[in-house]
Amino acid sequence: MTIVHGTSTRTPAVRAAGLLEDELARQGVTGDVHWGYGLALVFVHGDLVVWTDGTVYRWWAGHLSQRTGRRLYTVYGADNPSTAARGVMLRYAELGRGQNLTA
């Protein structure tokens, strides 16, 4: 984990990111946690970064809205990091198959 000076490592966001990092490691995927300003990020892959405020996990789903053209995000509650890790692993597998879409 990377420490941002002046922040507490005991914030809800840091705890949630650490739990997700642990769940991903159990599935053989290394994450890199960074935090600051009330958020924590788990870098999994160049196109797969999960961020959390301690309440939810979010990451780009790899799709754009047909209506607005904006990126669509996957959101999971931070109360169940194992379920969120399964969702991250699905996206990770898509990226491994070359199915990442550029914005």
Side-chain angles (χ1 to χ4, degrees):
M1 286 193 236
T2 300
I3 297 174
V4 177
H5 295 287
T7 63
S8 170
T9 60
R10 300 190 186 280
T11 67
V14 172
R15 281 192 301 274
L19 291 171
L20 180 62
E21 179 186 35
D22 291 346
E23 289 295 332
L24 291 171
R26 284 190 219 356
Q27 297 183 39
V29 173
T30 303
D32 187 23
V33 176
H34 299 263
W35 64 84
Y37 306 102
L39 295 175
L41 307 174
V42 182
F43 291 88
V44 179
H45 179 280
D47 288 328
L48 181 52
V49 178
V50 180
W51 68 95
T52 182
D53 59 2
T55 304
V56 296
Y57 298 107
R58 300 173 198 270
W59 62 90
W60 181 41
H63 309 287
L64 302 176
S65 167
Q66 290 183 2
R67 189 172 58 83
T68 65
R70 293 183 179 180
R71 288 181 171 205
L72 298 175
Y73 291 85
T74 302
V75 180
Y76 281 82
D79 59 337
N80 195 340
S82 62
T83 301
R86 284 193 293 275
V88 171
M89 293 301 296
L90 290 172
R91 178 67 180 131
Y92 185 76
E94 288 175 354
L95 291 166
R97 291 190 303 266
Q99 294 181 3
N100 57 327
L101 304 174
T102 56

